[in-house]
Amino acid sequence: MAAPKKVCIVGSGNWGSAIAKIVGTNATHNSKFDKVVKMWVFEEMVNGSKLTEIINTTHENVKYLPGHKLPENVLAVPDLVDASKDADILIFVIPHQFIGKVCDTMKGKIKSDALGISLIKGVDEGPDGLKLISDVIQEKLGIAMSVLMGANIANEVADEKFCETTIGCKNKTHGSLLKELMQTKNFRVTVVEELDVVEICGALKNIVAVGAGFCDGLGFGDNTKAASCGVADLITTCYGGRNRRVAEAFVKTGKSIEELEKEMLNGQKLQGPATAAEVHLILKHKNLIDKFPLFNAVYQICFQGHPVTEFISCLQNHPEHM
C-alpha cells in the first residue's frame, strides 16, 4: 500500500476555499490521501484576529467564503513553504497576477515528484509572448502539471449545487488520482488529455464575461449577450460571475474597474480585464487585433477610456475606425 498522498491547497480565496471544502471532505473518506489537507492562507487581520486562527478554530473562511463550514481536517497555514514542502499534490488557486512570486518562494523547497494542478484562469504575458499559467508553474518548479477548469462559480460549488468541470492531464494515472481527489456527486469531473485547450478556454472566457457585463449595463437583451458569448463555462460566467457583475457596475456607476474591485469583491481579484490586457499585447505583437473585436473592445473600454456606450459598435467596426 503506497503512503497516503499529502495535499496542499496554495490559495484560500473564494474559489480556493470552495475547493478546500471538496478536497478536505474527499481526503477524510479515501485512504489514498493523507487526512490533513493544508491550505496556504495569506495572513491578514479580520476583526482583530488572524485569518488563519479564525479558520482553524471556527472552520470557516469568514472573509472569502462566509457561511460555509470547511471540513475540520483543512488546516490553514500562514507560511507558504511550511504549507507546501511535504505535499505530494499541490493545488494552485490564487489570482494569476501572483503566481510568479508564489513559485519563486516555493522553488527548491517542495518535493520534486509532487503533482501540481492549476485552477488559475489567466495567461502570463512574458517577453516571449503568451504563456499558460501551468507552464509558468512547471518551468519555475519543475513539477508535472495538470489543470482544472469549468463552469464553476465558487459559491455554487460550495453550496453543493450540481456542476461539471474538466481536468486536463497528459498522464492517465495522475488524471484518475486527481479525479478521485476532486470529484463529488455534485461536482462532476471529466478528465481529458488536452491540457492546453482546457486552460486557454478557461482564461479567455473571463474577457468575454466583461463584454457580457457591458451588455447588461447598457440594457441589451439576452440575444445581444449570446451573440457575443459562447457556451458552458462561458455562459455561466456571463450570467453569474464576478467579471460580469463588476463590468455591469462599471457602466452603471461610471467608477473605475479598480475602485469597483475594491468595493464589490472584498479583496478578491478580477481576472477578465487583466487577461484582456495581456491578450491585447500578444495580439498586437502578432498583428491579429482585427481578428478579435470583442477582446479588443473590452481592452479599449477597460484601459483606454473608450466610451462603454460604444461597446456594440466596437464589435462591428475594425479598431482602426474607432
Side-chain angles (χ1 to χ4, degrees), residues 55-214:
I55 293 171
N56 289 334
T57 50
T58 68
H59 306 293
E60 182 182 349
N61 187 335
V62 291
K63 178 153 187 191
Y64 295 107
L65 194 67
H68 288 280
K69 283 287 178 207
L70 296 176
E72 296 194 1
N73 59 316
V74 172
L75 179 69
V77 180
D79 183 276
L80 176 54
V81 173
D82 278 354
S84 59
K85 64 184 180 199
D86 300 329
D88 300 293
I89 298 174
L90 292 159
I91 301 169
F92 293 89
V93 53
I94 52 174
H96 80 275
Q97 297 91 322
F98 304 138
I99 195 63
K101 200 171 160 193
V102 160
C103 288
D104 290 342
T105 305
M106 294 166 67
K107 193 174 180 161
K109 311 233 168 67
I110 55 166
K111 290 187 172 178
S112 58
D113 61 349
L115 300 183
I117 181 165
S118 171
L119 279 59
I120 300 168
K121 291 180 174 171
V123 286
D124 188 64
E125 204 283 317
D128 311 321
L130 179 86
K131 260 203 184 125
L132 296 171
I133 299 294
S134 64
D135 288 340
V136 173
I137 300 171
Q138 197 273 320
E139 284 172 24
K140 283 189 180 268
L141 299 181
I143 57 174
M145 286 300 297
S146 305
V147 299
L148 179 145
M149 302 278 153
N152 310 137
I153 303 278
N155 291 32
E156 295 189 8
V157 172
D159 283 336
E160 295 173 33
K161 291 181 177 168
F162 180 81
C163 56
E164 295 184 305
T165 201
T166 305
I167 288 178
C169 180
K170 293 189 170 90
N171 177 313
K172 285 201 159 57
T173 315
H174 294 172
S176 60
L177 182 70
L178 292 167
K179 181 172 178 167
E180 279 188 63
L181 182 62
M182 300 290 199
Q183 178 154 279
T184 69
K185 66 180 196 303
N186 288 319
F187 190 65
R188 190 163 70 192
V189 176
T190 306
V191 182
V192 300
E193 284 180 41
E194 296 78 13
L195 180 143
D196 298 357
V197 178
V198 171
E199 188 168 3
I200 202 74
C201 291
L204 297 179
K205 63 104 202 188
N206 278 330
I207 313 179
V208 184
V210 176
F214 292 157

